[in-house]
Amino acid sequence: MIKIGIVGYGHLGKAIEKCIAHFPDMQLFATFTRRDPNSISSHSRVESYDRINEFKDDIDVLILAGGSQKDIPEQAPFLIADFNTVDCYDNHDKIATYYKKMDEIAQANRRVSVIASGWDPGLFSMQRMLMEAVLPNAETYTFWGPGMSQGHSDIVRRIDGVKYGVQYTIPSDKMMEQIRAGQKVDYTPAKAHRRDVYVVLEENVDTEKITKEIKEIPDYFAPYETTVHIISESDFTANHQGMPHGGYVIRQGETSEQTKAKYEYSLQFDHNPEFTASICLAFARAAHHLYNERNFGAKTVLDIPLRYLSLRDHNYLLERFI
Ligand SMILES: NC(=O)c1ccc[n+]([C@@H]2O[C@H](COP(=O)([O-])OP(=O)(O)OC[C@H]3O[C@@H](n4cnc5c(N)ncnc54)[C@H](OP(=O)(O)O)[C@@H]3O)[C@@H](O)[C@H]2O)c1
């Protein structure tokens, strides 16, 4: 049995606790939180993050389920000295720097750190690389959604006067169809997606001012076609509690002149944290495998043999999947 520890009990931490039931070779040892463990309502063991090093011999792989902005950059370099880790760090611009730092510490301490797993980065990264390798003369396009973006929803909720809020990212069907038909498109993320925001407002606030404020948030909303819907609390409670998401990676081009080829990969899931948690767990299996063969250091999803993710033995893989 691979003994798993979870660091952080937010959406992802809770989802790992739940989804591990589908991974028969794994068991949850404990979840570690920076809050008072007694304040956490969980059916499994919860310990204080301050005491985590006391459990270094009880855990094979720690899954870091904290936020990418602040938690992982602070926790991961400290934890990798005593544990093997898996995270789904998703700050795309800083992944190369993060990799270098984690690789140095993991090598020095003879540990394995799987970084930036999840679906994007993660499964989508694997597909983007594979698509380019097999279809060099082509263009790759990534579309996210339709789905609820946790990061954009958080930004909306921080605006004064917003009581509850959620943001859905909607990819352009028209642009996807043009790409699938082999037409040239002027792709930028802002042209390829629109944003639908649903908010419940506090009483006596200026609706127009808040709508304008949301639409003008640089980078997150301003470059996108954004629609803000003001809804009632009962509508929000009844219709906006799910966390569905997904997306598409499409590569369209030619294998030779005038001979077209399209390679498309898509994901749809009802619950973003649960799907991400399941990916982290498969990569925790790979981390354990790498550690057992003394293949230390930081690894991305592109550095790990695919079969290390599987529960199956090599013969089974040969007979069923090749
Ligand atoms: N690569 C991918 O495809 C992918 C996909 C989805 C998500 N992600 C990333 O995964 C990371 C985690 O996402 P998440 O949705 O789980 O974040 P989250 O719910 O905001 O949780 C982050 C941390 O905040 C703390 N926290 C949660 N609820 C709290 C509360 N009520 N009061 C005080 N603290 C609380 C927890 O740490 P403590 O228990 O220590 O307090 C938790 O680990 C994000 O960075 C996200 O971008 C990546």
Side-chain angles (χ1 to χ4, degrees):
M1 279 281 179
I2 304 171
K3 283 171 280 166
I4 298 291
I6 302 171
V7 179
Y9 200 61
H11 293 111
L12 184 60
K14 285 178 196 157
I16 296 165
E17 179 189 49
K18 195 169 174 187
C19 295
I20 200 170
H22 290 296
F23 290 74
D25 54 335
M26 296 186 186
Q27 69 184 45
L28 178 59
F29 176 76
T31 299
F32 297 89
T33 180
R34 291 161 296 184
R35 288 167 279 165
D36 174 3
N38 295 320
S39 71
I40 303 283
S41 162
S42 158
H43 61 77
S44 49
R45 181 173 178 178
V46 181
E47 295 285 349
S48 169
Y49 178 72
D50 295 339
R51 296 181 51 215
I52 194 163
N53 287 82
E54 292 173 27
F55 301 98
K56 64 182 178 187
D57 297 328
D58 298 307
I59 293 166
D60 295 308
V61 183
L62 267 185
I63 304 183
L64 312 186
S68 294
Q69 206 186 358
K70 293 200 176 131
D71 302 340
I72 292 177
E74 186 187 306
Q75 295 174 335
F78 162 71
L79 293 170
I80 195 62
D82 284 323
F83 297 92
N84 300 310
T85 64
V86 171
D87 65 56
C88 57
Y89 182 72
D90 66 358
N91 196 341
H92 289 257
D93 293 344
K94 295 190 175 152
I95 285 175
T97 314
Y98 177 57
Y99 169 85
K100 199 164 172 287
K101 183 169 187 178
M102 291 303 286
D103 192 46
E104 274 167 22
I105 313 175
Q107 297 277 8
N109 291 282
R110 301 171 68 76
R111 291 284 173 185
V112 176
S113 157
V114 175
I115 68 154
S117 75
W119 60 279
D120 197 2
L123 301 187
F124 273 13
S125 321
M126 294 159 80
Q127 289 301 323
R128 284 188 285 256
M129 193 207 72
L130 194 53
M131 286 178 185
E132 196 208 50
V134 301
L135 206 50
N137 186 26
E139 288 286 334
T140 302
Y141 307 90
T142 303
F143 291 87
W144 299 274
M148 199 273 270
S149 160
Q150 287 166 241
H152 287 78
S153 302
D154 280 347
I155 301 279
V156 168
R157 284 193 289 268
R158 278 189 215 145
I159 290 177
D160 274 350
V162 172
K163 194 168 179 189
Y164 304 110
V166 72
Q167 191 269 177
Y168 300 97
T169 305
I170 318 287
S172 163
D173 287 338
K174 188 177 162 204
M175 194 180 279
M176 277 196 281
E177 284 319 312
Q178 286 171 326
I179 292 168
R180 288 175 181 133
Q183 294 171 19
K184 284 254 173 279
V185 295
D186 180 18
Y187 174 97
T188 65
K191 285 178 185 158
H193 301 86
R194 64 184 171 81
R195 303 204 176 280
D196 274 357
V197 181
Y198 291 82
V199 282
V200 179
L201 300 182
E202 306 281 3
E203 279 174 28
N204 304 321
V205 291
D206 185 337
T207 308
E208 272 182 37
K209 183 172 164 277
I210 292 175
T211 302
K212 188 165 175 286
E213 194 177 334
I214 293 171
K215 288 185 175 190
E216 288 179 356
I217 299 173
D219 302 331
Y220 286 91
F221 292 101
Y224 292 83
E225 180 192 329
T226 301
T227 311
V228 180
H229 306 267
I230 315 286
I231 59 169
S232 66
E233 195 162 331
S234 57
D235 184 353
F236 188 86
T237 309
N239 300 313
H240 297 282
Q241 299 305 310
M243 292 191 186
H245 218 321
Y248 303 78
V249 184
I250 308 172
R251 189 157 174 91
Q252 172 76 52
E254 293 177 342
T255 46
S256 67
E257 206 172 319
Q258 300 299 320
T259 307
K260 287 196 160 80
K262 177 179 72 74
Y263 181 160
E264 180 163 343
Y265 177 78
S266 74
L267 293 171
Q268 280 88 37
F269 33 87
D270 287 347
H271 200 268
N272 188 357
E274 285 193 16
F275 187 65
T276 306
S278 303
I279 301 167
C280 289
L281 284 160
F283 277 99
R285 182 181 287 138
H288 185 59
H289 199 123
L290 290 161
Y291 181 72
N292 283 341
E293 64 179 28
R294 301 290 182 253
N295 188 347
F296 307 121
K299 315 285 172 191
T300 72
V301 297
L302 306 183
D303 305 320
I304 298 171
L306 213 46
R307 67 189 161 83
Y308 286 15
L309 301 177
S310 176
L311 176 66
R312 307 295 184 184
D313 65 33
H314 198 240
N315 258 348
Y316 184 100
L317 298 178
L318 287 182
E319 283 168 13
R320 302 289 184 99
F321 297 145
I322 300 289

